Amino acid sequence: MPPRAFPAWRDALPKDRVDVLHRWHALMVENADALDRLISLEQGKPFAEGRGEVMYGASYVAWFADEATRIYGDLIPQQQRGKRMSAIREPVGIVAAITPWNFPLAMIARKIAPALAAGCTVVGKPAEDTPLTALALVMLAHEAGVPTGVLNLISASRENAVPAVADWLADSRVRKITFTGSTPVGKYLARESAGTLKKLSLELGGNAPFIVFDDADLDAAVAGLLASKFRNGGQTCVCPNRVYVQSGVYERFADLLATRVAALKVAPATDPAAQIGPMINARAIDKIARHVDDAVSRGARVLTGGKRLPELGPTYYAPTVLADATHDMQLSCEETFGPVVPLFRFDDEAEAIRAANDTPFGLASYFYSQDVRRIDRVARQLEAGIVGINEGALASEAAPFGGVKESGYGREGSKYGLDDYLSIKYLCQGGLE
Ligand code: SIN
């Protein structure tokens, strides 16, 4: 059976799609308090951060509403008399969007918005831990005027997550999959959808390095690390997972950092003073505890934290700084996805670059230095889709978000973000003379 909703949405005037997206954006902003509450209650990030996520997600909707009117083609300079060649860009078709729990609103917004802007229709599945925020967002989209059948959402339990999307993977009408989540699941989706050769955007795991050189502004580096590492309690794909500090500043940086981390307030999301809320579930907290225990058993020193906080609840973990981290520890090769900072020591630039790149992943990376030549060298050598230079807060709807190596492919946000939802059609018209 051919897709039913797609042809009309594809053929709508871009201006009509833009109006719907702008209305959706306005509704998100109008309902920011309710969405914020939902995010925090469902996912656990403190209210202030939940609000930030609503505005972050909404910014992608506004961005792609504007981009929808700029989907240009090309008239190719004439090659033969009587022949006109051009290239136009068309929506790929039905998009399957599969999203994670760590940003239950922003991740689905930044997939749906470009898909709708491009003229695609969407079938989506949010993570089993956080379906309610996604459902609320889709309800607002319908209120904004997204036609019936254009945007569809299902939810599934963890046990049913695979069967729930199996039909999409095999169905030739689904022309694209966009997924944010783990690398093993991304590889599974690529394998299982290969039979119908779908377009894929995969935003997968990271294992981000954060390098502090001897010549860094240490206060700025500590502030940047706090901002990037403890966002969403460390449950972010772009969170630094390995912090490399040059020997000359190692002890001073460790002291400054441990003092600031010890002062972070861990509390339920509903506490207005909370800076770190609960982790998402029991599996997450068990992994964090396993990484810390393994590191300590291999010689890491706990400068602060290093323990669960059962007095707050079963899924709270104290923000932790570990000194003397080494590469035989689990946390050096696996993402911890929690509030743990392991500090590795290095002596020279080449050693830092080698260590930073010694991972199958390549999503985000960060470094702090005040030497302009070093900044240029290191930025070019880091194998990552995103590099923070003397900056810990990288998220922006105007920037291309995505990785290299086993962190996946495709870009979200920015002027490049629509490309993954479009295909190029070459038109060759003869008989013009
Ligand atoms: C992610 O954790 O996958 C997304 C983080 C971001 O958008 O900055």
Side-chain angles (χ1 to χ4, degrees), residues 144-373:
V146 172
T148 307
V150 167
L151 175 56
N152 313 275
L153 206 68
I154 60 164
S155 62
S157 62
R158 192 180 309 287
E159 297 68 45
N160 287 327
V162 171
V165 301
D167 285 349
W168 298 347
L169 304 184
D171 194 321
S172 60
R173 292 171 301 177
V174 175
R175 293 314 319 148
K176 176 181 170 68
I177 297 173
T178 171
F179 169 70
T180 297
S182 74
T183 295
V185 175
K187 289 180 179 176
Y188 166 83
L189 295 173
R191 262 194 321 270
E192 294 298 310
S193 65
T196 48
L197 283 185
K198 300 183 200 312
K199 207 168 163 119
L200 290 166
S201 302
L202 301 174
E203 199 259 272
L204 308 177
N207 180 4
F210 186 109
I211 308 170
V212 182
F213 288 101
D214 277 348
D215 56 39
D217 172 338
L218 289 195
D219 290 329
V222 168
L225 183 54
L226 288 170
S228 53
K229 175 72 226 186
F230 294 102
R231 182 168 168 234
N232 197 17
Q235 303 172 107
T236 302
C237 299
V238 289
C239 277
N241 199 54
R242 299 166 290 149
V243 178
Y244 296 98
V245 187
Q246 201 159 4
S247 325
V249 293
Y250 188 92
E251 296 302 340
R252 199 146 63 87
F253 182 81
D255 279 355
L256 283 172
L257 180 70
T259 307
R260 295 283 300 276
V261 171
L264 291 172
K265 167 100 172 152
V266 186
T270 45
D271 181 333
Q275 290 171 294
I276 298 185
M279 300 294 107
I280 187 70
N281 56 31
R283 286 194 324 169
I285 193 118
D286 288 348
K287 182 181 189 190
I288 295 165
R290 174 166 59 78
H291 276 190
V292 172
D293 293 348
D294 170 72
V296 170
S297 75
R298 291 171 197 272
R301 271 183 297 138
V302 178
L303 300 187
T304 185
K307 56 180 196 286
R308 296 174 190 250
L309 299 172
E311 62 280 19
L312 290 174
T315 52
Y316 287 86
Y317 201 90
T320 298
V321 180
L322 300 174
D324 302 336
T326 52
H327 286 105
D328 57 343
M329 297 173 181
Q330 287 173 12
L331 46 63
S332 79
C333 50
E334 258 185 74
E335 257 185 315
T336 303
F337 234 62
V340 179
V341 185
L343 300 177
F344 299 77
R345 192 186 298 262
F346 72 92
D347 289 319
D348 63 41
E349 187 179 304
E351 182 190 351
I353 303 275
R354 226 179 11 255
N357 288 340
D358 186 17
T359 167
F361 303 102
L363 184 56
S365 57
Y366 306 78
F367 68 96
Y368 276 70
S369 165
Q370 297 190 89
D371 174 338
V372 285
R373 290 197 189 87

